[in-house]
Amino acid sequence: MDWPDVPRLLRWRMNRPHANLMTTAMKNVPTLDIRRYDTDCGAFVAEIGAAYREFGFCCISGHGIARELIDGSYDVFRRFFALPTDTKMKYHLAGAGGARGYTPFKVETAKDSRYADLKEFWHIGREIPRDSKFADVMPPNLWPAEVPQFRQYGYGLYQALDQLGTRVLRALALHLGEAENFFEDKTDVGNSILRPIHYPPITEENIPNVRAGAHEDINFITLLVGASAEGLEVLTREGKWLPITTEGDAIVVNIGDMLQRLSNHVFPSTTHRVVNPKNENARKPRYSVPFFLHPNPDVVLDPLDSCVTPDNPRRYDSSITSHEYLLQRLREIKLI
């Protein structure tokens, strides 16, 4: 297939009155096999674009990330969170906004929420040369000496999800009418974060907190590995909370606020939360590993001309870089 044919195929697919995706989208967030990007590009791009326009969420299968890497990563993360609090606190950098290392229980608070989230987490960032122009805003990683292979598995999963995110962004670029590689020089030194999260067992009755309060993500896209445990819910356009769980190798991928802004809201950043289970699973720990794919710190988040139309006029008049935007949002969620 020649790339110039893609927009024509997109128009054809999007205008089909009985497209299978639209029937599915009315019921749940679809799961799409990313291998179809290479075998049926126009149809795949149209379907993933429609999913994000509707939900801001999609599940991606066929990504090729090894199960051994995912399982090994979860194992080292569980072992870290099982360490004594005093040991974990050795890796908490006070005043650093949780950019790297450990952030303890009940610190992060969803914007406008009265209560802190019921979670603790660790941040792994991109490893860059210390003479990089971004070194002042992208500090070196910390690695817990108490957990062998933490770095091997943690950064291995970081790199795998970074590569998968690049593939997803290629499809989204084509859907917006941009070149396939449009995002690549905007994310190649992105301030992206892998965040292993531990939600401890809930032992009290009628607590006012949920495991993670209703919020939107800050970044370009988020890739969530291992969303098989109950709790993740997405707020639909109709104002209903829609549970999301995955099967097989599927990874949940959702739009963040930075891409919503850049796309002039063509791709919505959808509100989501992690609720407390209503059954015995509330008494069990929950683990989750999202990868927040960020643009390079100096990328300006002005709406793309291709996303500004008479039906969707420009929504932002002032410019802001991704790093400025990140700091603004970190203040709102009480990490800095």
Side-chain angles (χ1 to χ4, degrees):
M1 175 188 300
D2 293 329
W3 292 121
D5 289 336
V6 170
R8 175 177 59 80
L9 286 170
L10 295 187
R11 290 194 296 272
W12 172 79
R13 188 79 174 189
M14 292 291 286
N15 290 330
R16 290 175 67 198
H18 302 295
N20 290 336
L21 175 65
M22 298 313 294
T23 302
T24 303
M26 294 175 188
K27 300 175 182 177
N28 52 45
V29 173
T31 297
L32 300 178
D33 190 327
I34 198 167
R35 290 172 293 191
R36 290 180 52 237
Y37 182 81
D38 297 319
T39 61
D40 192 10
C41 181
F44 177 81
V45 168
E47 291 178 10
I48 197 172
Y52 283 122
R53 286 173 181 261
E54 173 69 20
F55 291 107
F57 274 73
C58 185
C59 300
I60 300 295
S61 65
H63 46 74
I65 298 176
R67 172 52 58 183
E68 189 276 336
L69 175 58
I70 296 172
D71 291 347
S73 299
Y74 267 85
D75 178 61
V76 296
F77 299 151
R78 286 190 184 99
R79 282 192 276 141
F80 171 77
F81 289 121
L83 293 172
T85 299
D86 288 349
T87 302
K88 291 184 287 189
M89 287 300 292
K90 293 193 307 183
Y91 301 100
H92 174 59
L93 301 178
R100 300 291 185 270
Y102 175 66
T103 296
F105 189 54
K106 286 189 176 182
V107 171
E108 184 173 11
T109 305
K111 182 181 177 183
D112 300 326
S113 175
R114 293 176 56 195
Y115 304 102
D117 290 347
L118 302 176
K119 66 187 181 190
E120 57 180 343
F121 55 88
W122 181 280
H123 274 177
I124 299 170
R126 188 179 302 279
E127 297 191 339
I128 60 173
R130 297 326 301 166
D131 60 355
S132 165
K133 66 177 180 178
F134 299 130
D136 60 329
V137 297
M138 295 170 63
N141 282 307
L142 300 179
W143 303 109
E146 295 81 2
V147 184
Q149 298 183 303
F150 191 103
R151 180 174 187 167
Q152 172 191 335
Y153 280 104
Y155 203 67
L157 186 59
Y158 182 108
Q159 292 174 307
L161 291 170
D162 196 33
Q163 293 165 10
L164 176 59
T166 296
R167 295 167 66 192
V168 172
L169 286 175
R170 288 172 185 162
L172 298 188
L174 289 174
H175 186 81
L176 294 177
E178 302 290 344
E180 180 191 25
N181 64 352
F182 173 79
F183 286 107
E184 292 182 28
D185 66 351
K186 300 170 182 62
T187 58
D188 57 344
V189 198
N191 192 10
S192 301
I193 292 291
L194 184 73
R195 174 188 277 191
I197 303 172
H198 171 222
Y199 302 95
I202 297 168
T203 57
E204 302 173 20
E205 300 292 338
N206 301 317
I207 59 171
N209 317 46
V210 292
R211 282 177 156 170
H215 65 283
E216 300 81 41
D217 291 344
I218 299 171
N219 41 293
F220 261 5
I221 58 174
T222 300
L223 298 90
L224 177 63
V225 183
S228 55
E230 64 186 302
L232 177 62
E233 296 184 343
V234 174
L235 187 64
T236 68
R237 291 183 178 183
E238 295 74 31
K240 304 292 185 181
W241 286 105
L242 177 67
I244 295 184
T245 56
T246 59
E247 296 181 357
D249 70 342
I251 289 175
V252 178
V253 184
N254 65 277
I255 304 297
D257 287 348
M258 291 186 186
L259 187 54
Q260 174 179 260
R261 194 181 199 280
L262 194 74
S263 70
N264 202 40
H265 291 230
V266 169
F267 295 138
S269 177
T270 304
T271 302
H272 52 286
R273 65 184 183 181
V274 179
V275 297
N276 306 337
K278 302 296 185 183
N279 52 34
E280 67 277 3
N281 289 336
R283 308 296 186 199
K284 300 176 182 178
R286 184 182 192 273
Y287 298 90
S288 177
V289 185
F291 176 75
F292 301 107
L293 192 154
H294 280 258
N296 301 352
D298 58 356
V299 168
V300 178
L301 302 174
D302 287 350
L304 301 174
D305 290 342
S306 58
C307 298
V308 178
T309 66
D311 293 334
N312 187 32
R314 185 183 176 94
R315 297 170 184 259
Y316 302 95
D317 294 324
S318 59
S319 295
I320 189 169
T321 67
S322 67
H323 183 64
E324 291 167 340
Y325 190 87
L326 174 63
L327 293 179
Q328 176 181 302
R329 291 295 304 278
L330 291 177
R331 295 185 189 101
E332 291 174 351
I333 63 175
K334 302 180 182 178
L335 282 182
I336 59 174

